[in-house]
Amino acid sequence: MTMLEIRDLGKRFGGLDAVKDVSLDVEAGQITAVIGPNGAGKSTLFNLVHGFYRPTAGTISFKGEDITHSSPHRTVAGGIARTFQTTNLFDDSTLLENVLAGRIVRSKSNVFDAVFHTPRHRRESRINEDKAMEALEFCGVVEYRHDLASNVPQEVQKRTAVAMALATEPELLLLDEPAGGIPEEETVDFGNLIRSLPQRGVSVLLVEHKMTMIMDLADTILVLDHGQKLALGAPAEIQSNPDVIRAYLGSTAQEEN
Amino acid sequence: GGGGGSGEGDTVVIGYTGPLSGGGAAYGENVKIGLEMAIDDLNADGVEVDGNPVTLELKSLDDKYAPSTAASNAQRLADQDKAPVVVSPNAGAIKAIQQINSGRSNFLISAYTSDPAIVQADNPLTMMIPPNFESYAEEFSETAMEHGGKKLALLGTQSEYGQQWTESITDAWSEAGGKIGGDNSVDYATVSDFAGPVSKALSEKPDAIFVGGPSQPTALIMEEARKQGFKGSFLVMDQAKLDEMATVTKLDNLKNSVGVLPVSEYEDPGTEDFLKKFAEKAGEKKVPTSETALNYQGIAIIAKAMETAGTTDDPEKIREAISEALPEVDGKYKVNGFPDEITEQGHLLNPNLEATFLNEDGKYTKVPIEQVSDDK
Amino acid sequence: MSSMKNPRIIGTIAVIILLGLTPLAFAQENYAMRVITVGMCAAIAVYGLNIILGFTGQLNLAQGGFFGIGAYGVGLLTTDYDWSFWAAFVVSVIGTAVIGYLCGLIALRTKDEYFAIFTMAIGFIIFLVISRWEPVTHAHSGVNNVKFPEGGGLIDFESPVAIFYLVFAILLICVYTTYAIRRSSVGRTLLTIRTSEDLADAIGVRVGFSKQLAFAASAVFGGVGGGLYATVVGFIGPDAASIDKTFEFLMFILVGGMGTVAGPLLGSMIVTFLFELFQDFQAYRFIVLGPIIVALVIFAPRGIVGYLGGFVDKRNRRRRAEEARGPDDDLDSTGASTSGGTGDHHARNIADGTESGAGRTGDTPSSEETK
Amino acid sequence: MTLFIQQLFNGLALGGVYCLAAIGLTLVFGVLRIPNLAHGALYMLGAYITYFFLTTVGVPYIAAIGIAAIMLFVVGVGLERLVFHPLRNSPHTHHMIAAVGAMFFFQALAQAIWGADFRRMDTPITGELRILGAEISAQRIVIIVTAVIVLALLALFIKRSIHGQTIEAIEQDRVGASLVGINPSMVSMLTLGLSALLATIAAGLVAPINLLSPTMGDALNLKVFAIIILGGLGSLPGAIVGGFALAIAETMTATYISSAVGEAVAFIVLVAVLAIKPNGLFTKAVQR
Amino acid sequence: MLTLDNVSTGYDATNVLHGVSIKANPGELTVVLGANGSGKTTLFRTVSGLMRVRAGSITYEGRQLHRARPNAVVKAGIAHCPEGRHLFGKMSVEKNLRLGSYPHRNRSRTEEVYAEVLDMFPILKEKAKQPAGSLSGGQQQMVAIGRALMSDPSLLILDEPSMGLAPIVVEQVLESVAQINRNGIGVLLSEQNAKASLAIAHRGYVLAEGRIVLADDASRLLDNPEVQAAYLGL
Ligand SMILES: Nc1ncnc2c1ncn2[C@@H]1O[C@H](COP(=O)(O)OP(=O)(O)OP(=O)(O)O)[C@@H](O)[C@H]1O
Ligand SMILES: Nc1ncnc2c1ncn2[C@@H]1O[C@H](COP(=O)(O)OP(=O)(O)OP(=O)(O)O)[C@@H](O)[C@H]1O
Ligand SMILES: [Mg+2]
Ligand SMILES: [Mg+2]
């Protein structure tokens, strides 16, 4: 099933086409990767899907519903979560509080429930706590839950960012360089975490510069260059695509082979 | 506290709450000086209540012109310092204090404001010191018309008091058959440059201008008007004092104005001594104003009323005794038009109220004023 | 629940009980009762400020204005229109909510300093309207003889103790509401906005809407405080809506502790008390008070409650963090315990704030290309 | 028509007053990111010290302004060291309250030293100019001209010189600034000193057309904040345009509508502008 | 030569570095390896004066640096390209770069290095007039490296310079770093790709939980079985 359908998407900044004529299908239960040189438009693409930016052309639909112009909180409520390229957490809060923040979008209780301590409020508090713990556990950082976000190592922060996104119960997760700042050698574990997402019913759209990881994880790869599609295909095809090698991979390609 | 009014060698606190910091500080200070001078003199003369010598003591608190703070202060003075009398020099504050002085706490308000609203409130424990400002409007209008013409521009300050004056002058001027331009009142305290408002007022080509707020900005406005070529006469609200204004601008700019009579022009029995003592206390440069002089008189009246009533801690009795006490007050305390009666509502009335016209020669000529009724 | 053992809650409850008992000691002291009751009215408005500033991180400088609207609503309706206090109170609070909501619509398009100054302008316009719109508000003449609440023959609110308890009860509701909001997902929503609007947006928080609600709620509290204030003091003038009031509120919340449950109450009481204490210095009191205010802000930047709570939180967190890591993870736990043990001692001497001029890391999270 | 021209010049003069008072504030805002509510108090202090040297000591007008400006520079530096520097990592709220504390202190101090009475400061610059039938005093012309010159020089300094750019750099990233060799503490200190100095020059020029009192800065304070926000924080051209625009709007509404509206117009304009452009007139809308 | 002797430091209540001693010889490329959270960034921040030294000393070319502020450290010739970049987001790329030359303010030198930087990262030429904050993550990293170079340092500290860069650019950056080093500038480097960085380095240190656990010549570290196991994925 096609989960996310992007058609002829475009975004202009002043005179620059950050994204242009991009079309992509993200299949349910798969990991789809987007790669490309710096400034190719990958993050911009994410921002468009997520609703941070308004597209200047094209359409996006999610599970058959048009979300081209929907605002971030709607997209999140609809089932798309994301992480940022630079890790972004609530620094002064503990990891648990961070992940609980991810539950906000699924909370129905309001001020009155809180004030009157209604059953709904209590039930929801419990569920939120459970789900947050589960997400932390899933991402392998549960033992840090009472540490402040600013005090834990980068990898833990990166994992927490994923946990926070998972806490919103997404069906599609956009990961923007989730392993940035993690040494290449240590990304295997992180890769395993991402690999296990589809089994949870979470499809993944992934941006990463770590080729070992991408080649290992991705079912389909979209290569962007100057905002436009350079190539689209399975990892093996991409890896040997001369255009991709010239524009993006460089000699690493040979090494991997 | 000094609860026992009949103990020996008692100290009685006279409370004062006024603006001692912020925009109204200068005004509040002037009042305070009058109170201090009176208390010094009275203590030197000796006050005797019910056969016991009594020492008066001033306790002052700052309210920054805020009515609610003034009320808290008054309550504090009455409760903690057992002050039977609290002096307050602004109408808003007095109204706020009137909310508490005859219910939860019991004390006499010595009210320094010429807004009759405070006696219209029928508060049994209020003594209003200055004349009702509405008394001035008619004479001011007539005098100004004599020396100028029929067209009046309004350029008073935007305070509560300034607005009431503006209204009262408007009525009197129309009644006297004059014409009135638009209301150009500005807030004297916040305007950075008076040129704009003055230009606007002058554009109506008035023969007379109503001005007034604190003395110094008023002087500046008049100076600006003269600079922009205004030749007519000024009606100066009683808050501004011509002699004080002469310290910030040339006397030339002030000529041809009708306003209240400077303290130094009074010929009451105590005036001369008062002026000397004032100069000693506040310095030669400072001009004594009616805020100081009238409050000086006010405290003397209250002290005499305490003596007459034979109590220092029963405000009702003190208030009742004022009428009887007035003729008894020593001449030295009569400095600025001394009252000879207190109305039922608590207003001290001076039988010969006079204003002044500062003529082309820079001389003050007196203008007799007939006092109006305080009733609405 | 274990939260009942939380020292913060115990502390808050202790403060409240203490305050509730003050009439026993001061019932005969009109002055003390007045100062405390007026202080509590302000505290209610400060709880409003706490929602928008403490939780959401938006500096609202119109709170004095909303306080003034509440006060004038009650004042004018009970005098010129002869309404009962209760009717006037309810209508004024609703009025404040509406005005707050409308102001919020525009105000919340702006951010940070712009928001602060924008709301300052709104506050000032409210003040100008009140102090200049003679025919309706009586401008500087103020509103006299504001009605006492009607006790329906049961309670006589003219008694200082009765009105004290009325204000106290409403204040309690505010404290509890703050507490409830704080630990609910609503509170969490607001806190995420305070930390990072972008991130809040990313996890599906309705940033604009939530800020809007917080702003309106804050205005409502302001209106409630103002309405009660009007009846407590009986006379109101334009100073009830002045920018000075706003700064007073700010001082209260800062001294007490922003974003805390007990902070606004404690701050209001302490600063009010401090101001009264220094009254004896008259005009010169600010020579002393000014530096005290500065020192408080510098040396107790998180306020009294924040300061005390900081210790509690830190201890709790460390204990919980160590517990959480548990013995199953050997490597980590040794690392944690060494740093936890020796580092603590070290830090006391060094945390004197004289860090190099550049400040800390967390200061400026490099904002990414995300909008 | 004469009225209009007269009021236009009055508005320009008032604009000069506002601008002069506003420059320091924008600068401080640019560097330290703090709304310095004590700015009006610095302005007041500058006026009193100028007055002291002019009237009590008896030095010439320009020299009195100069001495006072230098003294206020020191006061500004002290204020930064003692109050704002310790707060550099705190949220704005703290600065605002600390600034209010400092303002209280300065006002009380001035009242303790010079008393609460209004004072008048005389200027050697006398005479009036007649322009198109409008009367305008020489002092006001001096104010307008000084305002424009000072603002232009400052704008040039900030845009062109590398020292000026350090100010911008600190505003945008303190850590980054220190890493390229800028000493943020020093720049902050100098900036606050400079702003106090500029405020004193403003006060020295403006005081003769108004009066000195411990609260003389209050009224200006709010307006000046409206101006720098209107123009866009930290923007000098914004301060110029904002200052003159609000002043002219104020005089004109006061003339043709009512003085109460005139008083409020600055804030009404501000609210209206921010409703449309939430970042003020002159901020480039940078997408992050 | 940069010498750290027994340096300890940390954040708030916790110590992160425990008595770290390292030496970076002039003109040499020194690499610091270590797992996530081992304290590399903290170490660099300490050298450049962004963090206070709690114990121990730092000297550079005979000068005591452990109390110096960041601006003084830059003037002494040490440039730091920090984690998190710390660019001036609203200023143009060109201004960002030129501000990098603030410590020396030598016009001709500025132009020279500016040209070199644009050579190294041609994309920045296109973006020169654009606000730095609007660049893509990788492009911003390029600006950060360039800005550090602009101060014309004798020692360049690079904290994970290849973070967020495309593979082809990573190679290029490492190549440039080697080139910079060959030109006589000392480099202190931490890098995700241990193998590639050791390949161009003279000396290497391995940091674990805030302590130096290994210090050796880069080539020997490459052969060290422990290092191979932990960092080279062999
Ligand atoms: N707000 C903006 N204003 C102007 N230009 C922008 C803006 N955001 C992005 N761009 C430009 O759009 C292009 C694409 O940027 P984007 O961040 O999407 O790249 P990316 O593929 O994520 O690169 P990287 O791998 O380096 O993160 C870049 O050239 C960037 O300079
Ligand atoms: N601002 C901070 N406050 C408190 N602790 C911090 C802070 N920054 C880092 N730490 C802690 O200090 C330790 C060392 O962090 P540092 O960033 O120096 O490691 P690193 O080796 O650079 O790691 P990475 O490879 O993730 O960049 C970590 O345990 C981290 O959690
Ligand atoms: Mg990107
Ligand atoms: Mg690091």
Side-chain angles (χ1 to χ4, degrees), chain B residues 1-3 13-16 59 61 70-86 97 100-108 313 315, chain C residues 25-36 160 276:
Chain B
V13 170
I14 303 290
Y16 170 52
K59 165 108 187 189
L61 298 175
S72 295
N73 285 347
Q75 191 132 53
R76 171 172 170 168
L77 291 163
D79 283 5
Q80 298 204 329
D81 302 303
K82 308 287 177 222
V85 179
V86 173
I97 298 173
I100 53 175
N101 79 321
S102 48
R104 300 172 188 174
S105 303
N106 220 11
F107 57 90
L108 178 68
D313 60 0
Chain C
F26 295 115
Q28 297 314 310
E29 303 252 351
N30 287 325
Y31 164 64
M33 289 300 288
R34 180 193 166 94
V35 167
I36 296 173
E276 292 296 328

Side-chain angles (χ1 to χ4, degrees), chain B residues 269-286:
Chain B
T271 308
E272 209 169 308
D273 274 350
F274 173 80
L275 292 176
K276 265 192 222 126
K277 277 181 281 183
F278 181 85
E280 264 168 45
K281 187 170 172 74
E284 294 286 344
K285 274 198 201 140
K286 200 165 157 76

Side-chain angles (χ1 to χ4, degrees), chain C:
Chain C
M1 252 184 61
S2 72
S3 69
M4 277 301 148
K5 281 192 232 120
N6 186 337
R8 309 187 114 188
I9 297 179
I10 296 173
T12 309
I13 292 176
V15 169
I16 289 172
I17 292 178
L18 218 62
L19 182 64
L21 294 179
T22 45
L24 294 184
F26 295 115
Q28 297 314 310
E29 303 252 351
N30 287 325
Y31 164 64
M33 289 300 288
R34 180 193 166 94
V35 167
I36 296 173
T37 312
V38 169
M40 290 195 303
C41 295
I44 292 172
V46 177
Y47 272 98
L49 202 55
N50 198 32
I51 295 177
I52 185 81
L53 174 61
F55 291 171
T56 321
Q58 311 288 319
L59 179 52
N60 168 17
L61 294 179
Q63 193 68 350
F66 295 129
F67 188 80
I69 293 177
Y72 267 82
V74 168
L76 293 172
L77 290 176
T78 60
T79 55
D80 291 359
Y81 302 89
D82 206 24
W83 287 26
S84 86
F85 167 80
W86 297 107
F89 184 62
V90 170
V91 167
S92 318
V93 170
I94 293 172
T96 322
V98 171
I99 295 175
Y101 188 84
L102 293 179
C103 292
L105 280 181
I106 315 174
L108 290 164
R109 285 169 45 89
T110 60
K111 270 189 184 174
D112 303 336
E113 298 87 5
Y114 289 90
F115 178 82
I117 307 292
F118 184 85
T119 48
M120 182 167 97
I122 290 182
F124 196 67
I125 291 173
I126 294 175
F127 169 74
L128 280 179
V129 167
I130 287 178
S131 65
R132 294 279 182 273
W133 196 13
E134 227 285 327
V136 173
T137 65
H138 312 303
H140 287 280
S141 305
V143 182
N144 224 340
N145 297 319
V146 180
K147 275 189 198 160
F148 284 107
E150 295 76 13
L154 296 172
I155 312 169
D156 173 20
F157 282 113
E158 288 192 35
S159 125
V161 174
I163 201 139
F164 170 93
Y165 278 113
L166 172 68
V167 179
F168 181 69
I170 295 179
L171 177 65
L172 277 191
I173 296 174
C174 295
V175 178
Y176 176 71
T177 310
T178 307
Y179 169 72
I181 290 179
R182 204 193 139 94
R183 18 147 256 194
S184 72
S185 69
V186 179
R188 210 172 293 126
T189 309
L190 300 181
L191 286 171
T192 58
I193 294 174
R194 176 173 83 183
T195 322
S196 160
E197 284 187 26
D198 286 348
L199 186 53
D201 221 358
I203 55 172
V205 169
R206 298 168 68 185
V207 175
F209 177 75
S210 308
K211 284 207 297 192
Q212 182 68 38
L213 275 189
F215 191 73
S218 127
V220 166
F221 278 46
V224 170
L228 291 172
Y229 171 83
T231 181
V232 168
V233 300
F235 170 87
I236 44 170
D239 67 303
S242 68
I243 185 99
D244 292 358
K245 269 268 172 320
T246 305
F247 286 129
E248 217 169 81
F249 295 158
L250 265 183
M251 226 171 279
F252 293 169
I253 195 175
L254 268 189
V255 170
M258 273 197 283
T260 63
V261 175
L265 177 58
L266 214 59
S268 306
M269 290 301 142
I270 288 175
V271 179
T272 305
F273 176 74
L274 210 64
F275 271 48
E276 292 296 328
L277 192 71
F278 279 92
Q279 259 290 0
D280 288 329
F281 292 93
Q282 299 170 44
Y284 303 113
R285 68 187 191 281
F286 284 111
I287 293 186
V288 186
L289 267 177
I292 288 182
I293 293 166
V294 173
L296 274 175
V297 171
I298 292 176
F299 296 112
R302 291 188 303 152
I304 294 165
V305 174
Y307 190 72
L308 297 176
F311 288 124
V312 177
D313 281 356
K314 218 177 213 167
R315 227 195 29 231
N316 283 353
R317 209 172 37 236
R318 186 159 320 134
R319 186 173 46 75
R320 293 216 310 259
E322 260 152 42
E323 260 168 36
R325 273 190 224 109
D328 53 345
D329 195 343
D330 286 336
L331 249 174
D332 251 286
S333 71
T334 43
S337 61
T338 41
S339 56
T342 56
D344 197 53
H345 172 73
H346 225 97
R348 284 292 141 68
N349 327 338
I350 296 170
D352 56 358
T354 47
E355 229 183 321
S356 63
R360 303 193 211 99
T361 20
D363 248 349
T364 37
S366 71
S367 43
E368 245 283 306
E369 71 268 47
T370 47
K371 196 211 65 157

Side-chain angles (χ1 to χ4, degrees), chain E residues 57-80:
Chain E
S57 70
I58 302 176
T59 49
Y60 183 63
E61 290 171 350
R63 286 180 55 186
Q64 299 268 338
L65 279 190
H66 47 279
R67 286 196 207 297
R69 285 163 183 275
N71 50 297
V73 175
V74 193
K75 292 225 169 78
I78 301 180
H80 181 183

Side-chain angles (χ1 to χ4, degrees), chain B residues 17-100:
Chain B
T17 172
L20 297 174
S21 67
Y27 173 66
E29 281 294 335
N30 283 345
V31 173
K32 195 175 151 195
I33 292 174
L35 302 175
E36 284 169 350
M37 285 174 68
I39 285 173
D40 287 350
D41 288 358
L42 287 163
N43 283 337
D45 290 357
V47 180
E48 211 179 274
V49 177
D50 204 13
N52 292 315
V54 164
T55 314
L56 298 180
E57 185 189 301
L58 181 70
K59 165 108 187 189
S60 32
L61 298 175
D62 175 23
D63 59 29
K64 275 200 151 185
Y65 245 137
S68 62
T69 316
S72 295
N73 285 347
Q75 191 132 53
R76 171 172 170 168
L77 291 163
D79 283 5
Q80 298 204 329
D81 302 303
K82 308 287 177 222
V85 179
V86 173
V87 184
S88 168
N90 96 64
I94 292 164
K95 288 176 198 162
I97 298 173
Q98 284 179 335
Q99 301 287 324
I100 53 175

Side-chain angles (χ1 to χ4, degrees), chain A residues 41-77:
Chain A
K42 306 179 292 294
S43 299
T44 307
L45 180 69
F46 273 26
N47 282 327
L48 290 169
V49 172
H50 190 243
F52 263 44
Y53 288 162
R54 297 264 129 112
T56 39
T59 58
I60 310 167
S61 61
F62 180 62
K63 293 192 296 176
E65 210 176 302
D66 182 65
I67 57 160
T68 316
H69 294 291
S70 90
S71 56
H73 79 259
R74 288 250 184 76
T75 17
V76 177

Side-chain angles (χ1 to χ4, degrees), chain A residues 154, chain E residues 40-41 83 159-160:
Chain A
Q154 273 206 37
Chain E
K40 305 179 293 287
T41 299
E83 188 176 274
D159 196 351
E160 304 199 12

